[in-house]
Amino acid sequence: MNPVLETRGLCMQFGGARQVSALSDVSIALHEGRCLALVGESGSGKSTCAKLLTRMLPPTGGSIHFGGNDVTVLRGRRDLRAYRSQVQMVFQDPFAALNPAHSVQHHLERPLALHKPSLTRAERTERAASLLRQVELDPAATLRKFPHELSGGQRQRVNLARALAVDPAVIIADEPTSMLDMSIRLSVLDMFVPLKRERRIAMLYITHDIATARYVAEETAVLYGGRIVERGPTDRLIDDPRHPYTRLLLAAVPEIGRPFGTTRLSVEADRVRAISRGPGELREVAPGHWVREIAA
Ligand SMILES: Nc1ncnc2c1ncn2[C@@H]1O[C@H](COP(=O)(O)OP(=O)(O)O)[C@@H](O)[C@H]1O
Ligand SMILES: [Mg+2]
């Protein structure tokens, strides 16, 4: 099956006094009805990847293909808007993403008015209510509320409903639960699962927590220093990690951690990070399971 959204050798170099290579040679593919988890520590390049995919930033190298078309070349406002309606983003900070001056109803109806101008006002309101039901919020209790009247979890549900309003083909969720209370993270993450099955959406789930990848993502790519160091079926990566950096991430998960034992973890972690930078070749060690070689 052809990917819905694909990157080929994507690179992002930030300029200024100090050149930062935020992404190097990143190739990933998102498929209809499936989810890819992009996992890595803070600073590994995850959000940069999301910004390039949604064309909030132009890449400095490589290309992005949507439905087979090169969208790296899109420039005009209209083309970019049409593209972004297909590739929606859910951000990490549920507070920053909503405008405090507008009701939930406004947040949901505005994208509908923009992208589905044929709908009547009554149809828009019905659509907004149905979107809220999909993210398990009660429309009667929620439509007229303002962002400050909602909990963090409710706001993130509204953000997801808003992303769904325009019937996107792709949803990119950048650490969607990392700013929420531990106790509600899984219930919010659960919202994303039926999107794949029922709406056939292709998803990119960005997280620093490799353990959560298992809940939503069939495939996982591990990013470090702007490079993919390992990718493959999520279960394989978690049960049989081959790259030392993947093992390091797993060692930090209490219910999984074992590879390093408890001794000298931080010394070992520094050593692993040091050898995990750099441009080794990606090699396929099992069907669909790729591991970057470590330069000797
Ligand atoms: N606008 C920018 N200008 C300069 N450097 C940036 C910019 N955005 C991100 N970076 C750098 O790129 C690297 C990757 O950042 P980011 O993509 O935010 O990582 P993550 O989301 O994994 O924490 C970091 O070193 C960060 O400092
Ligand atoms: Mg980030």
Side-chain angles (χ1 to χ4, degrees), residues 92-196:
Q92 177 173 18
D93 185 352
F95 305 89
L98 299 175
N99 185 331
H102 291 305
S103 67
V104 169
Q105 181 163 10
H106 178 94
H107 278 99
L108 297 180
E109 289 188 14
R110 202 179 122 79
L112 289 171
L114 272 174
H115 294 282
K116 311 246 180 237
S118 61
L119 295 178
T120 66
R121 179 185 277 255
E123 284 168 335
R124 279 205 300 272
T125 304
E126 180 37 46
R127 241 339 152 102
S130 133
L131 286 163
L132 286 176
R133 282 190 291 270
Q134 267 182 55
V135 295
E136 292 170 21
L137 290 173
D138 173 17
T142 317
L143 271 172
R144 299 196 177 285
K145 285 198 171 152
F146 285 81
H148 71 270
E149 299 174 285
L150 303 173
S151 69
Q154 289 169 332
R155 282 183 225 207
Q156 208 54 315
R157 286 168 195 266
V158 170
N159 280 318
L160 178 57
R162 183 170 57 164
L164 292 174
V166 294
D167 275 329
V170 178
I171 287 206
I172 296 173
D174 188 358
E175 306 213 45
T177 65
S178 67
M179 292 181 74
L180 303 178
D181 283 347
M182 216 43 138
S183 60
I184 61 158
R185 284 186 190 171
L186 266 189
S187 67
V188 173
L189 205 52
D190 274 344
M191 297 286 98
F192 288 89
V193 178
L195 306 183
K196 295 185 295 179

Side-chain angles (χ1 to χ4, degrees), residues 14 29 32 46 63 65 96 112 117 129 141 153 238 296:
F14 288 108
E32 188 184 306
K46 306 182 297 296
S63 57
H65 304 262
L112 289 171
I238 290 179

Side-chain angles (χ1 to χ4, degrees), residues 12-16 18-23 38-51 57 92 174-175 206-208 223 225-226 277:
M12 186 67 204
Q13 192 99 23
F14 288 108
R18 201 174 66 93
Q19 289 275 317
V20 178
S21 190
L23 281 186
L38 187 62
V39 182
E41 293 170 302
S42 172
S44 57
K46 306 182 297 296
S47 293
T48 299
C49 189
K51 286 174 192 156
L57 285 175
Q92 177 173 18
D174 188 358
E175 306 213 45
I206 294 177
T207 182
H208 62 268
L223 197 62
R277 287 191 179 275

Side-chain angles (χ1 to χ4, degrees), residues 7-117:
T7 71
R8 297 185 196 153
L10 209 56
C11 295
M12 186 67 204
Q13 192 99 23
F14 288 108
R18 201 174 66 93
Q19 289 275 317
V20 178
S21 190
L23 281 186
S24 309
D25 192 25
V26 169
S27 299
I28 54 173
L30 306 183
H31 292 91
E32 188 184 306
R34 294 171 64 86
C35 178
L36 172 72
L38 187 62
V39 182
E41 293 170 302
S42 172
S44 57
K46 306 182 297 296
S47 293
T48 299
C49 189
K51 286 174 192 156
L52 298 182
L53 284 172
T54 50
R55 286 298 324 269
M56 289 158 73
L57 285 175
T60 53
S63 57
I64 302 168
H65 304 262
F66 177 69
N69 297 315
D70 187 347
V71 293
T72 333
V73 295
L74 292 183
R75 290 285 178 275
R77 251 172 116 81
R78 278 169 63 121
D79 288 349
L80 281 172
R81 180 195 279 178
Y83 173 67
R84 288 188 189 121
S85 78
Q86 289 294 305
V87 181
Q88 286 280 309
M89 179 96 167
V90 175
F91 293 93
Q92 177 173 18
D93 185 352
F95 305 89
L98 299 175
N99 185 331
H102 291 305
S103 67
V104 169
Q105 181 163 10
H106 178 94
H107 278 99
L108 297 180
E109 289 188 14
R110 202 179 122 79
L112 289 171
L114 272 174
H115 294 282
K116 311 246 180 237

